[in-house]
């Protein structure tokens, strides 16, 4: 085909491309083995309501405990997975694991929510909604509203209609939909208009420097204003200091997440953290910032 021919021509001028493909293939093979051998793990980062400091839940963030290279972050292995045959199986693993964690919290008497990052390929998989239906059916005591699906703005525009249909079905089941990294894509407003959304997450790249950078601050303020106009609650990521939190509160931001509250932590630490946070927040009184911020 012309496409093949084009590829071969490109190839002729760029032998490095071959090496690149080989590396990615190896990475995928290694990752597939890691998935089988249980080397992947979910970390959890708290999400806190600004008005009363209540811990509303945790975002699940994937890690790879590599036998030789140590704990790997998503940017070190997720790019290889994008658009590969592993994207959906990996997403299924994350979903299953995150919902299991929700069960554990419930069993411990904690009513916490879980936010799960969902790739578009996984979202559009035919088993995605049935899997959620099965889970909710076999766990009738779980509030579907405690599950949030975080979707990035990077969905190809041609998939927007299908993605939107699937997300509407998920909302029909009672789940929440969050628009992740809002403002970093090329068509944020189109996504906001087209996708069914319950929550907007302001990307940390705007939040991190907003105390020093007037443009970033203006963007954060505008996104909060926009979210309010759409009657969507808004969560700011990248809340690294107490000052971030208090400025965001003045701007009307509803929820915060960031290193200033806690770094993502292993699942085993979440219950103790939640209890400690609650103790602190109560001593501080509703509406006050916690001392650890
Ligand atoms: P995200 O969904 O926007 O997740 C937030 C990222 O910001 C996390 O990085 C978190 O550790 C980091 N972060 C949170 N608070 C702060 C802060 O105060 N300062 C700074 N500098 N960073 C902060 P992480 O865990 O490396 O994840 C990066 C991205 O990888 C995520 O961005 C998400 O898009 C993707 N990802 C992570 N886990 C999964 C997963 O299970 N499935 C999918 N499809 N994507 C995932
Ligand atoms: Mg996210
Ligand atoms: Mg984000
Ligand atoms: Mg991000």
């Amino acid at each position: 085909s012309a496409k093949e021919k084009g590829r071969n021509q490109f190839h002729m001028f760029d032998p490095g491309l071959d090496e690149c493909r080989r590396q990615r293939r190896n990475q995928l093979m290694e990752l597939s083995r890691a998935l089988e051998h249980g080397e992947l793990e979910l970390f959890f980062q708290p999400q806190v309501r600004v008005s009363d400091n209540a811990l509303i839940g945790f975002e699940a963030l994937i890690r790879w405990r590599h036998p030789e290279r140590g704990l790997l972050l998503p940017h070190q292995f997720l790019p290889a997975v994008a658009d590969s045959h592993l994207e959906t199986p990996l997403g299924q693993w994350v979903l299953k694991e995150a919902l299991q964690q929700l069960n554990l919290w419930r069993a411990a008497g904690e009513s916490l929510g879980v936010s799960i990052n969902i790739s578009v390929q996984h979202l559009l998989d035919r088993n995605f909604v049935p899997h959620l239906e099965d889970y909710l059916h076999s766990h009738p005591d779980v509030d579907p509203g405690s599950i949030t699906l975080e979707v990035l703005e990077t969905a190809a525009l041609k998939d927007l209609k299908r993605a939107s249909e699937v997300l509407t079905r998920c909302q029909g089941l009672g789940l929440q939909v969050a628009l992740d990294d809002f403002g970093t894509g090329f068509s944020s407003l189109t996504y906001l208009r087209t996708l069914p959304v319950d929550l907007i997450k302001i990307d940390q790249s705007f939040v991190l420097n907003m105390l020093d950078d007037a443009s970033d601050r203006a963007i954060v303020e505008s996104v909060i204003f926009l979210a309010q106009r759409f009657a969507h609650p808004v969560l700011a990521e990248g809340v690294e200091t107490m000052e971030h939190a208090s400025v965001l509160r003045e701007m009307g931001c509803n929820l915060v997440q960031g290193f200033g509250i806690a770094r993502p932590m292993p699942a085993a630490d979440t219950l103790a953290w939640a209890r400690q946070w609650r103790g602190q927040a109560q001593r501080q009184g509703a509406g006050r910032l916690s001392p650890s911020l």
Side-chain angles (χ1 to χ4, degrees):
S1 71
K3 201 174 162 193
E4 277 302 324
K5 214 170 128 197
R7 232 187 243 151
N8 288 335
Q9 274 168 5
F10 190 36
H11 178 156
M12 258 170 52
F13 295 107
D14 185 6
L17 201 67
D18 228 24
E19 173 61 16
C20 200
R21 273 204 208 104
R22 199 182 55 76
Q23 268 182 17
R24 182 166 185 237
R25 212 167 34 232
N26 286 346
Q27 234 184 336
L28 284 175
M29 264 160 53
E30 211 197 341
L31 199 54
S32 159
R33 183 192 51 73
L35 194 57
E36 275 167 32
H37 288 68
E39 291 172 16
L40 297 176
E41 189 175 326
L42 292 185
F43 270 39
F44 292 89
Q45 188 178 34
Q47 299 180 325
V48 167
R49 187 163 57 209
V50 176
S51 62
D52 59 357
N53 264 336
L55 172 67
I56 58 146
F58 290 86
E59 176 177 7
L61 295 161
I62 196 165
R63 299 290 182 264
W64 179 359
R65 259 188 220 282
H66 195 283
E68 285 116 40
R69 296 165 65 201
L71 193 69
L72 301 185
L73 293 167
H75 74 89
Q76 295 172 286
F77 59 94
L78 280 191
V81 178
D83 298 323
S84 76
H85 64 283
L86 260 192
E87 189 167 331
T88 295
L90 190 76
Q92 281 163 344
W93 179 85
V94 168
L95 183 60
K96 193 159 161 257
E97 198 75 7
L99 293 175
Q100 246 160 40
Q101 188 58 47
L102 191 61
N103 295 341
L104 289 178
W105 289 331
R106 289 185 55 78
E110 296 282 345
S111 62
L112 294 165
V114 70
S115 286
I116 310 165
N117 294 287
I118 307 290
S119 74
V120 176
Q121 190 193 99
H122 183 206
L123 183 76
L124 297 180
D125 184 76
R126 56 165 71 243
N127 291 319
F128 184 75
V129 175
H131 181 111
L132 287 168
E133 283 168 340
D134 284 351
Y135 172 81
L136 292 174
H137 193 74
S138 52
H139 298 83
D141 51 334
V142 168
D143 170 13
S146 64
I147 303 165
T148 300
L149 307 176
E150 296 195 2
V151 287
L152 285 171
E153 300 189 335
T154 47
L157 218 56
K158 67 175 164 62
D159 288 333
L160 205 55
K161 188 160 172 286
R162 284 170 64 211
S164 164
E165 282 162 9
V166 175
L167 291 172
T168 301
R169 285 177 66 197
C170 294
Q171 279 182 331
L173 297 173
L175 273 65
Q176 310 261 10
V177 175
L179 202 46
D180 205 354
D181 296 3
F182 186 79
T184 57
F186 290 110
S187 26
S188 305
L189 297 180
T190 302
Y191 289 101
L192 185 60
R193 185 181 59 184
T194 314
L195 292 176
V197 170
D198 299 296
L199 173 75
I200 290 176
K201 293 190 78 174
I202 309 181
D203 191 60
Q204 47 166 290
S205 63
F206 301 119
V207 178
L208 288 175
N209 302 318
M210 70 172 196
L211 301 177
D212 310 313
D213 186 315
S215 305
D216 284 354
R217 194 185 174 112
I219 289 172
V220 171
E221 238 164 5
S222 308
V223 172
I224 292 172
F225 178 77
L226 189 66
Q228 285 170 342
R229 289 288 312 217
F230 277 78
H232 297 320
V234 53
L235 181 150
E237 306 181 320
V239 174
E240 294 198 337
T241 67
M242 175 157 170
E243 203 186 343
H244 282 95
S246 61
V247 168
L248 284 161
R249 175 221 290 265
E250 276 161 29
M251 291 176 174
C253 183
N254 307 91
L255 301 161
V256 286
Q257 178 180 347
F259 294 173
I261 299 157
R263 288 181 177 258
M265 63 187 83
D269 296 347
T270 52
L271 272 177
W273 193 91
R275 285 171 183 155
Q276 194 206 329
W277 176 266
R278 197 163 42 230
Q280 256 177 18
Q282 259 161 20
R283 273 195 301 283
Q284 283 286 304
R288 296 287 310 279
L289 289 167
S290 174
S292 77
L293 265 178

